[in-house]
Amino acid sequence: KAGVTQTPRYLIKTRGQQVTLSCSPISGHRSVSWYQQTPGQGLQFLFEYFSETQRNKGNFPGRFSGRQFSNSRSEMNVSTLELGDSALYLCASSVSAPQGEQFFGPGTRLTVL
Amino acid sequence: DQQVKQNSPSLSVQEGRISILNCDYTNSMFDYFLWYKKYPAEGPTFLISISSIKDKNEDGRFTVFLNKSAKHLSLHIVPSQPGDSAVYFCAASAVRGTYKYIFGTGTRLKVLA
């Protein structure tokens, strides 16, 4: 079974631009979560989608948004990029059962100049 | 406010000895806890979990202990192997029955051969 894939793996943008990151979950997984990882901050929860609906949201500004498609693939968008948005963005997928293990992708490394 | 804390940023252990990684939390509503391991350039991989109705869960060389009164959990690795060298994250479920996980900042374990 293929794992969680994220594209692109690396991205360089400048302040003020916007960016879209993509995540393809493991086949059959309906829950997709997004996390931001920065040095010293661990993984910060952004949001979780389940069956195309945002089920949970973390404490991030409205510049961070996401969506999920009917095939469970998910995209995350960050508008008006700031230097502090430079981070590793991780996507994780899970089966539909409540709680349990999340399977993470390799992440997208975003650098904002 | 960091609800899940890993106060030791790094830990070094001799091969064959026990590694003990600690995690403290502040939210008494957390009811499900997980440990993940992360190698460089890869996403975190699930190690072991524990529900708040238990105080111990074992899986091979890995054992997680939960002390609800102290709001503390620990991961024991016995015996430690050089391949265990990685960053370890603990995570807690903030919303019952969903995948909104709050992660700690991680502990870098180095197992010395």
Side-chain angles (χ1 to χ4, degrees), chain A residues 35-54:
Chain A
Y35 293 86
Q36 180 195 67
Q37 185 187 9
T38 53
Q41 291 294 312
L43 279 73
Q44 304 283 313
F45 176 81
L46 280 155
F47 28 68
E48 183 221 357
Y49 285 87
F50 181 81
S51 292
E52 302 180 63
T53 301
Q54 188 181 84

Side-chain angles (χ1 to χ4, degrees), chain A residues 68-109:
Chain A
Q68 187 180 34
F69 302 95
S70 58
N71 61 358
S72 293
R73 190 177 71 84
S74 177
E75 287 182 347
M76 190 192 97
N77 185 275
V78 188
S79 63
T80 319
L81 283 166
E82 300 177 0
L83 295 178
D85 297 334
S86 295
L88 180 68
Y89 289 89
L90 292 158
C91 161
S93 77
S94 314
V95 296
S96 59
Q99 296 188 320
E101 177 183 354
Q102 287 184 311
F103 294 84
F104 281 84
T108 294
R109 171 74 63 187

Side-chain angles (χ1 to χ4, degrees), chain B residues 12-106:
Chain B
S12 291
V13 170
Q14 284 294 132
E15 181 180 5
R17 306 294 292 269
I18 183 171
S19 294
I20 300 177
L21 296 101
N22 294 304
C23 181
D24 297 294
Y25 60 96
T26 57
N27 189 340
S28 57
M29 298 302 291
F30 287 150
D31 64 351
Y32 190 71
F33 305 87
L34 310 91
W35 283 94
Y36 281 85
K37 175 170 73 174
K38 186 179 185 301
Y39 294 118
E42 294 181 14
T45 54
F46 171 78
L47 272 176
I48 192 168
S49 64
I50 187 166
S51 164
S52 59
I53 62 171
K54 292 183 155 185
D55 54 18
K56 177 182 173 182
N57 189 27
E58 252 179 292
D59 185 1
R61 297 187 297 114
F62 302 92
T63 302
V64 56
F65 295 92
L66 176 62
N67 182 333
K68 288 185 289 292
S69 60
K71 295 193 182 68
H72 177 84
L73 67 156
S74 61
L75 174 68
H76 293 210
I77 307 174
V78 184
S80 300
Q81 299 172 354
D84 296 329
S85 297
V87 178
Y88 289 78
F89 293 95
C90 65
S93 174
V95 180
R96 181 177 289 275
T98 73
Y99 288 97
K100 183 175 182 179
Y101 290 127
I102 308 299
F103 279 74
T105 51

